[in-house]
Every structure is written in structure tokens, then in C-alpha cells.
Amino acid sequence: MVDLSCYSLEAVPEYLFYCQDITHLNLRHNFMSVQGPGGLLNLPRFSQLKSLNLSHNRLGVFPECVCDIVTLTELNLSCNNIHTVPLQTGNLHSLQTLCLDGNHLSSLPDELGVLSQLSSLGLSFNSFSHVPVVLERLSAVDKLAMAGNRVETLELCSLARMSHVKNIDLRLNGLRRVKSESLEAVTQLTQLDLRDNCLHSLDLSSICNLETLHCQRNQLGALTLSGFTLRMLHASSNRLTTVNVYPVPNQLTYMELSQNLLEYLPDWVCDCRKIEMLDITHNLLSELPSRLFNSLSLRKLLAGNNCLQRVPDLLDHVPLEALDLQHNKLTQLPESLFYKALNLKSLNVSANSLESIPPSSQSEESLSTLQELYLSGNNLNENCGALLAGHHNLRVLHVAYNQMLSFPASKLSKLELLEELNLSGNKLKTIPSTVSSCKRLHTLIAHSNHVTVFPEILNLPEIKLVDLSCNELTEIQLPDSLPPTLQELDLTGNSGLMLEHKTLNLFSHITTLKLDQKCASTAGDSLSVSTPWNHGYSEMSGQRNKLCVSVLTVDHFGDGVEACYGIFDGDRNEEVPRLLQCTMGDVLCEELQHSSVDRVYMCNTFLTSHRKLGMAGQKLGASALLCYVHRNLSDPGGSLSLTVANVGTCQAVLCRDGRPVPLSKVYSLENCVEEMERVKLSKAIITEDNKVSGVTCCSRLLGCSYLSPWVLPKPWVQTEPLCVQDKFLILGNRALFEWVSYQEAVCTVQAVGDPRAAAKKLCTLAQSYGCKDNIGAVVVSLHVGEDSCTCEPTVVSAPEPRAPPPAPAPVTVTPGPGDAAALSSSSGVASEFNSETSASEVGSEAGSTASDEQQSSGLAPRPERRCSLHPATSLCGIMVPGSAGAGPHPGLFQRQPSCATFSSNQSDNGLDSDDEAPLEGVISNGSRLEVEVDIHCCAFQLRSASSDSSRDFDSEKQSSDFGSARTRRQNSVVVSATNGCLLAVCGREIADLKKSPSTSSLFVKKLSNGSVVAPEDSHNLIEVALEAPKKKSGYFTAPAQQDPEDQLIVPPSLEQEVREQLRGQSPAPSSAPVWDHPHPPVFTSNLVPGPGPTPILQQEVYDTAL
């Protein structure tokens, strides 16, 4: 077997033709040509070839030469833009499998009918308007695979003539009618798939042996079936008011009727003797038949999101294992529920009006096997705690948002097997100390209570996550050591909590530590001007091992009267969301300098961010949503507008006068008909779970470049003027709005009020409703009105020499012997600190870059904008000399100390770490390399201010080392000290530096294999950081082309010459900065790591050590 896929080949290597024992040849994803020495015309030279894969080669025509390979048993020509099949195909008498999916075929030749051994024929995603007649002669073919064609009418009489076809797939055909003109029965058909069509009614009573039917996502109002052999029925997302099945389907085991208009269940459902799973969620049911509830075969019943007011009593023991009754109108449950349903393992009755729960048994001894119990969103009080103690096997307990004043301590101690406990949104003042008896507890969530004392949970051996945010904690009593399993601790929203250095040092090993930032802004701080909005956000990993959702929240964006919010969901990868979180705000800030048209600057922001993902965006992708609050161009006096852009499944909802106003568009194949048609026309293969090539359900993403042109980065853009009735803006990922409706989200946020507590509640409710995935929510409270005019100029104090910045309060510790805790602070905003990340995560935190394009000279300049995550008077949490104020402002992102663990003792420049001179900001403790970076650094503007030079010189003498960041005031250059290479330079000087013989070698990229290559203009800090060693992950590995940079190799002998050339540069220092000098500055050789003093450049330099 020879696999040559994804090598960009145009011909088969000549030496392969001398191998006569090749039986399997894979040439997919290449650019094979027909002519030439190694072209397809030479393939018949392989005399033993049995399997040939030529898919995705853009052939344009069916290669007739393969018809001469008579030994072929398998031929794959998918996705080659083929329009016709030649007559010579009939020569392949041994052919058993023929794949022609993803082409432009509209007919098949009659000569195919002689292929008696052909058993598998793929015709999906072509242009057939009817079922080919030749299939009647292919007696060995048992499956008709014609998904994604143009068949609008299916005639059952034609199927009756195909006595060999048992399985038919007609998904995504635009099917409108299924005709049954004759009384002839179709006896051979057992499986029929009609999903995602345009059917309004369906009568399949003539298919008497049908076993499985898929008809989801049509417009069916009525469905009629034969029940003789029916085993599985999937009919969700229709408009069904009734389902007729005759006779009673005694073989039926699975039935899905969710998201329809059923007001009652048909009687025949209760008579099914083998029914095991019934899904009737999201209907209009007001009651459940007693016979159904007492069925002796039913094991899983999903009846949530209906109008049920009561549940029938259980008359006898039933085998029910899972029961979902959430979002109904229940006030009580059957008294005998738990001791009659002894097999019940999961019960969800969230979002009802329950005031009590039934007892676990009739006696003191309980036989309950219940493992998961969800009771959130009811009216339960502390009395239910005693009733819960009888469920000794409980592993998951959610009783959030009830009326509990306390939880009985003696009862909690009996739940020894408890693993996850959620007590959020109650009125608890303490967590019982007996929680320490739950030795298996790994998750405790108790936010939004009145807890004043930290619970005794840090002695639990398996504790991983503790969320005590939005409480009234004042102090924490800690043991001498913390469990090594603790990964996340959230203490935000506790205004009276003060942590000592000893406590912070003890928390240093926690991967994610969330604390409030406290800082008192001075009266002269330009950031003290209030804005008509504030925000809160929440992220929960659910049952995933990692968090793949990131949020961007900037209350002060640009000139201080604008804001930027975003959410990014990577589904199963965390790299792309973090990269977007670090860069997208700065890209937007840069694009706003080039255009003031909403669709232009938003589209450019998304496209630029997509390009700057670099190699990470080749195989991985993420949904992205960006919201930009700004002044209305038509009314610059004070009115505000909201511009929203999104790709993927992240969504934004505006609460206007108590009603939800969707602002985004869901770009998934199931939800967007236009996108489905576009993807079909581009001949993508859509799998049965509605995913493009089986990878993603989204048709528009940032990243996933290898899926182009099927998956695009072009966003949906909408601008909405804000008015007094707009109270909240809600941003969420797919998982949030999959479980929480728009209306419920709006009502929830209105009831809570506080944005942070509201975001917490949204995520908690989604988990209580059954969500297992990552959840992210951002809630922005809007105060838009006549008293919220934003046209006032920003208050800036008169320039004067600035005192050294105040020492910030400690927040987190970079693990290492003797390291002191270093904490950046800001009032009321949560900072999340990662104390241990992979090397790839250092890349995602390395910095942010904006668009490479130069500012257009034809547009009027917009108000001065600087770093998108910090206002004009600060740079990444570091006050720029000459600015007023002494500290960061609430609402700003702060620095995140990070450390990367490398497996090699060699540094990236090939020198031993012991021989290198220490880099500023880099701490090495032997096996670990700790790098202090600011994830929100940004290239700031050139400023002509010769009068400020003396002030700058004075301020340069003062210490600016707060938050572990080093800043040197010189001219206007941004330097990143990564292996001594200059990576980013502001302004037009970068082009001149590249051309200069003495400095051109600085603009190189050191690859992991030791090669030095010249980077493209789009390369940035992130792409360089991605070359660092990183852990192998289980991400989907798609075929990737060879990196073109690897072809630009500089011989190693030239590297020493480059270094000597750099050391030869020694510019004379000038007496004063020259801000408008037309030529680039000359850099000293000390930019290359090595012994010697730090160079003094007559430029403004911001160093970021990677």
C-alpha cells in the first residue's frame, strides 16, 4: 500500500512504476495531471492495482485511462468537478466500490449496468434530478446514496422495481413530494433518510417493512407509517400535530418527536410493548397518559419544555432510568416516585414550581439508586435537605436558585459519594462543615449567596473547582498545604475579602485563580470618567477537561466613550479562542483608523484576524462574535450605536423593553438555509450529522483554512442604534443558547440586575438543564439615556512630571522558589491567572498585532486611538510617562504572568541555557523556563513631543517595574526580545530596516529545525511563539501543505557572519530624540543576546520577553 496523499504532486514518482506488487494507491488531495511521464495515463502500468483513490485532484474530467486497469475493485473519484461518466467504465468488471460524490453528474451511462459485482455506488452531492434508471440493473447495490442532489419528487413505484435496494439516503435534496400512485407495496426497503427537505406531509404506509425512518427538519404537519416492522422513528423539528401508525408498532424501541406541535400523545404510543426511549420535549403537551408512565419497557422519558401541570402516580415498579421534566408547570411530584422507580438514576425537574420533593423510601432504609438530581429554579427550602439524605448514591446534585436558607449539616454528611454540588443563588450564609466528609467531591459551586466563612473543602483529596464568587467572604482560613488537584478557584465579587501575601503564595500552584482587582483611581485620572455601561462574564468548562471559550471585555475602548466585547468558542480547541482574545481588539482598533463604515471595518477585522492566526488557523477554527459600542456618526452629539459582527454559532441578544432582540446570525448548516445551499453548490461533503467534511457544523469560522471555500471567515454585520429602552446586552456561545432561550435569558438578566451575577446565573442554569459542554456568557448593563451623554471631552490633567507608579497589590504568584506574589489590581473586575501553561499558550499570550496595511491618506483621521484594551493614557496596564493618574482603571485587562515548560535544555537560538546571558523578564529555575509577558501589548502611535523629552528622561530614571513589566522610554519603536530578533517596528521604518544590509538579518524567523528564514509581512509574535515546543493534542489533524518557509534556508555558516555584522554596529548617541527623522535608527549589536550592557536606543521601546 502506498499513501501519497496531500503532497501537492502533479505526477506519480517514476520509481514507483518499477514496483509491481502495489495493490493500493492513495493520491487524494494532489494536483495530478493526465499527461506527462508520471501522469495518470501511466497508471495501467500497475498490473496488480486493486484500490485507487484520486479524490480532490481537480481533474475536471473522468480519467478514461483508469478504465484500462481491469484489476480495480475500488475507485474513488470524489470532488473532481466531473460532469460525465465515460462508457468505458463498463470494462471494470471487478469493480465493487465506485465513489463519485461531490461532482456535477446529472446522469449515468447504461453501460454501468453490466458491473454485476458493484455493491457500493456513491452519488451524493451531484446534480441528479431523478433516481438513475440504471440502478434497477445493478442488483448488488443495496444502498442508494444520493444525498445533496436535486430530486424534488420521489416515486415509490420506481423504488418497488429496485428489489435489491434496502437503504435510501435522500437528505438535502429539496424533496417536496413522495408519490404513491399504485397500491403496490414496497417490501424490500428497510431504512429511509429524508432529513432536511421541504416535505409538508408524508405517507409511507405502502412501505410495509420499514424499520428506520429519519425525517427531521422538514415542515411535516402529518405523518403516516406502517408499524409492522418499525423500530426507530426520528421526526423532530417539524410541525406535527399527530402521528398515525398502523398497526401498533410492537417492535418500536426509539421514538423522537421533539420540537413539534403535539398537544397530546397518540394512543398507540402507550400500547408499544418494547418502547425504551421517548423524546417529546418542546411540544404543547399538558398531560402524560398514566399508561405511558407505568410502561414496563420505558427506560428513558424526555418530556421537558411542555405545559405539564402534574405527573401520573406510579402504580407499580417500573424500569425507568432517566426522567426529564424540566421547564414545565409542576408543583409536586408523585409521592411514590423514588420507591416505585428503583432503577431511576437521573432526574431533572429544574425550572418548575416545586416546593418539596417526595421521600426516597417509605421506611428508614432507602433503596434509591439515584445518581444525578437537578432541582434548580424551583421554590425549595431547607426542608428538602433532609429528604435528599436518603439518596446515598448521589453523585451530582444541583439545587441552585431556590429559597434555601441553610443546608442541614447532618444530612450532607450522608452523601459520601457526592462528586458535584451546586448551591448557587440561594440565601446560604455558610456551607456546612460536614462537606469535608464528601471525600469524592471535585466541584463545589456556591456563588450568589451570603456566605461569610470559607468552607472546609481544601482538605478534600479530589477537589478541582471551587466557585464562591458573589458572596460576602471576608477572610479565608487555609491549611498548611493545598490539594494538588485544585485547578480553579473563583473568589470574585467578595468586596470585603482581603488576601495576605502568605495566602497568595499558597494559591500559586492553582491553574486558574480569579480575584477582584482593587485600585483607587486618583481624581485626575482621565479614566475616572464614567461610561454608560458595565459588564460581567462567566466561563464554565462543564464536563470537559479544558476550557475552549474565551471572552473579550473592554469598557474603555479607544477614546474612552466606546466599548468592545467579544466571545470566541473553539468547540474542542483552546488555542484559536485565546489567540483571538489577544488580538482581535487591537485589529479592530487599527481598522477603525482606515474606515468608518461598519461593514468595511468589521469585515476587515475578521479577515485580518483570520489571516493572523497563522499556522494555528490552518487546521483549527473558532466561532467569533464582536460587539463594538460607539457614537452614532449621524448624531455625534451623544447618541450611541451597537455594531455586531459574528461567524459561527456565538450569538448576541439585546434586551429592549423586556423583549429579546437578536443581533447575530447563526452560521450553522441546520439553522441557515442559504449557507446550506452555498456549501452544497461548492460540492462539499456534508455528513449525516450535518458537518462539513465531518469536521464542523459551521459554514463560517475564523480558522479552518483547509476547509475553504466551504468554510469562510466573512462575518454577518449589523448596526443597531441604542435607545433608552435598551437595558442589557447578552453574549453567549452555542452551548448557552442551546439550553437557555432568548426570552429566558432576558428575563433572567432583568431579575438579577448585576451583570456579573447575571452571567453566572445564565451559565449555571444551562448546566442545570443538562449542558455538558463549555459555556461562556457576557452580560453588559447599558444605561443609555439623556443623563448619559457621552459627548463631553475626556478630562485630562495638566502635564507634569509623574511620580513613580504605586506598588500594585499582589494577586498571583508565578510558581518558583522564593518568588514573591505580584498582583495587578482594578476595582470590581475579575482577573484570571494561569500559573502553568503549555508553550503554545505562551504564543497565544505573547501579544496582539493589528492590520499590516498602512493607514489610507484619503480618509479623515479619527479620534486618537491606542491600545484597544487600554485607554490613551496607559499601555497594557503601564502608565505612559506624561499621563495623569497613578493606576489602572476598572474594566481593563491586566497582565497575566505565565510560564512555559520546555522539554529541552537548549534555548531557541541553539546555545546552552547556562552559556546565555539572562534576558530581561525571563526567569529560569533549571527545568522550567518562566516567561513574563503582557498578553495585551500593542504598538502605540508616534508622537511629536520634543517638549516632553526632559520629562521623559526624568521619568525614565524612575522605576517602572510594577506588574513585572519593564519599559524603557526612548523613541517610537516596539521591540520584542525573542532570541534577540526584532519582530515589530512602528510606522514606515520597518520597510527601510528590512532593506538595510546591516539590519536585514534581524528580520528573520528561527524555525524549530534550526533554519533561519525571512518571514512574510503577516508574521507576528503569535506565529513566532507557535514554533515553540508544545504538547501534542488530540485535535483533528487535517492534511496540510508543506510550509513554504522551509524552502528559504540560510546556510548555518552565514549565521555567524550575521552576528559579527551586527556586533560591528555602534551608533553614536544623539543628544535629543528626532521624532520625524526620515531614516530608520541604527540599532546596536546588543540586540542579539549576549554579554554586555543593555543598549540605550533613542527610541521608545517596549520589550516583551517570550
Side-chain angles (χ1 to χ4, degrees), residues 355-570:
E355 297 182 356
S356 64
I357 59 175
S360 59
S361 66
Q362 292 176 302
S363 60
E364 294 183 0
E365 183 180 359
S366 175
L367 300 178
S368 172
T369 60
L370 193 66
Q371 297 180 5
E372 298 181 4
L373 180 58
Y374 300 91
L375 299 169
S376 299
N378 284 284
N379 299 320
L380 302 173
N381 54 32
E382 56 275 9
N383 296 329
C384 74
L387 299 173
L388 293 172
H391 302 287
H392 302 295
N393 296 301
L394 265 184
R395 286 170 169 77
V396 178
L397 176 60
H398 283 227
V399 286
Y401 296 98
N402 282 281
Q403 306 296 325
M404 300 179 65
L405 299 175
S406 63
F407 198 101
S410 60
K411 306 302 180 183
L412 184 59
S413 62
K414 296 182 179 180
L415 303 178
E416 297 179 353
L417 301 180
L418 199 62
E419 299 176 0
E420 180 178 330
L421 177 60
N422 195 325
L423 299 170
S424 304
N426 286 282
K427 302 177 182 179
L428 302 177
K429 295 184 178 180
T430 59
I431 305 296
S433 58
T434 53
V435 71
S436 59
S437 62
C438 303
K439 300 300 183 181
R440 297 188 180 182
L441 190 69
H442 59 71
T443 300
L444 174 63
I445 303 177
H447 62 78
S448 306
N449 280 286
H450 304 291
V451 178
T452 57
V453 180
F454 195 85
E456 301 177 10
I457 55 173
L458 296 182
N459 290 320
L460 297 177
E462 299 183 16
I463 192 70
K464 294 182 180 180
L465 186 151
V466 178
D467 187 351
L468 290 171
S469 57
C470 301
N471 277 286
E472 300 174 4
L473 294 174
T474 56
E475 61 179 353
I476 300 179
Q477 299 294 332
L478 298 177
D480 295 335
S481 62
L482 298 181
T485 57
L486 186 59
Q487 299 177 3
E488 182 173 346
L489 177 61
D490 191 346
L491 299 175
T492 57
N494 292 278
S495 56
L497 180 63
M498 301 295 294
L499 297 180
E500 301 177 351
H501 286 271
K502 178 181 178 181
T503 302
L504 292 170
N505 283 323
L506 198 58
F507 286 158
S508 62
H509 81 279
I510 301 177
T511 304
T512 303
L513 174 62
K514 298 180 181 180
L515 300 173
D516 278 339
Q517 302 172 347
K518 302 177 177 62
C519 179
S521 301
T522 62
D525 192 351
S526 64
L527 304 178
S528 61
V529 179
S530 62
T531 55
W533 47 72
N534 60 303
H535 77 274
Y537 72 92
S538 176
E539 301 166 330
M540 293 186 178
S541 59
Q543 295 187 0
R544 297 272 192 89
N545 293 327
K546 57 185 178 182
L547 182 65
C548 300
V549 177
S550 298
V551 301
L552 173 66
T553 53
V554 189
D555 287 334
H556 296 268
F557 185 79
D559 55 9
V561 291
E562 299 176 349
C564 180
Y565 305 99
I567 186 167
F568 316 102
D569 185 359

Side-chain angles (χ1 to χ4, degrees), residues 568-625:
F568 316 102
D569 185 359
D571 192 18
R572 297 189 180 275
N573 82 87
E574 57 185 345
E575 295 182 38
V576 173
R578 291 195 179 189
L579 297 181
L580 294 175
Q581 178 194 37
C582 297
T583 60
M584 209 159 185
D586 289 329
V587 174
L588 174 61
C589 187
E590 178 69 17
E591 294 299 336
L592 287 170
Q593 308 298 325
H594 302 296
S595 175
S596 59
V597 180
D598 55 358
R599 189 168 299 276
V600 173
Y601 64 72
M602 275 299 188
C603 286
N604 287 342
T605 297
F606 274 68
L607 295 177
T608 302
S609 300
H610 171 78
R611 175 171 55 85
K612 288 184 175 293
L613 288 176
M615 295 302 297
Q618 291 291 326
K619 304 174 184 177
L620 307 177
S623 298
L625 172 71

Side-chain angles (χ1 to χ4, degrees), residues 331-351:
T331 57
Q332 62 180 2
L333 295 174
E335 188 73 12
S336 59
L337 176 62
F338 293 125
Y339 53 84
K340 286 293 182 65
L342 294 178
N343 294 331
L344 190 63
K345 292 179 172 57
S346 176
L347 174 63
N348 194 331
V349 288
S350 300

Side-chain angles (χ1 to χ4, degrees), residues 743-790:
Q743 187 61 55
E744 183 179 4
V746 166
C747 294
T748 298
V749 173
Q750 277 188 310
V752 175
D754 178 64
R756 175 162 47 193
K760 288 279 186 182
K761 184 174 182 179
L762 288 175
C763 294
T764 298
L765 290 180
Q767 284 190 332
S768 295
Y769 298 160
C771 182
K772 309 295 184 184
D773 295 331
N774 293 168
I775 311 173
V778 179
V779 176
V780 182
S781 177
L782 302 172
H783 309 282
V784 181
E786 296 180 358
D787 56 342
S788 302
C789 179
T790 60

Side-chain angles (χ1 to χ4, degrees), residues 937-1103:
C937 66
C938 168
F940 44 88
Q941 287 184 331
L942 297 171
R943 292 182 297 170
S944 176
S946 58
S947 60
D948 295 341
S949 59
S950 60
R951 179 178 72 249
D952 297 340
F953 180 77
D954 294 336
S955 63
E956 181 181 347
K957 295 179 181 179
Q958 300 174 359
S959 172
S960 61
D961 184 14
F962 64 102
S964 301
R966 280 82 173 171
T967 309
R968 291 173 296 181
R969 284 282 299 167
Q970 283 125 8
N971 222 339
S972 192
V973 179
V974 178
V975 175
S976 178
T978 303
N979 308 324
C981 295
L982 185 63
L983 297 179
V985 182
C986 288
R988 62 181 180 273
E989 300 169 349
I990 187 168
D992 297 330
L993 282 175
K994 288 184 178 180
K995 299 176 182 178
S996 172
S998 61
T999 57
S1000 61
S1001 57
L1002 290 173
F1003 290 86
V1004 297
K1005 179 180 177 183
K1006 186 97 177 216
L1007 297 181
S1008 57
N1009 61 2
S1011 303
V1012 180
V1013 300
E1016 299 175 354
D1017 291 341
S1018 63
H1019 287 166
N1020 50 40
L1021 298 176
I1022 293 175
E1023 291 176 303
V1024 173
L1026 287 175
E1027 289 294 330
K1030 54 188 177 182
K1031 301 177 182 178
K1032 292 184 178 180
S1033 59
Y1035 299 141
F1036 177 83
T1037 304
Q1041 305 297 333
Q1042 189 176 4
D1043 190 353
E1045 297 174 354
D1046 290 338
Q1047 303 171 8
L1048 305 175
I1049 299 176
V1050 176
S1053 58
L1054 294 181
E1055 295 187 34
Q1056 184 63 27
E1057 182 179 350
V1058 170
R1059 294 181 181 275
E1060 294 176 357
Q1061 190 176 22
L1062 290 175
R1063 292 192 181 97
Q1065 305 294 332
S1066 107
S1070 55
S1071 58
V1074 181
W1075 299 97
D1076 55 351
H1077 199 281
H1079 299 291
V1082 180
F1083 296 92
T1084 65
S1085 61
N1086 286 329
L1087 280 175
V1088 179
T1094 304
I1096 303 300
L1097 309 179
Q1098 298 305 320
Q1099 299 282 335
E1100 180 173 340
V1101 180
Y1102 180 76
D1103 284 353

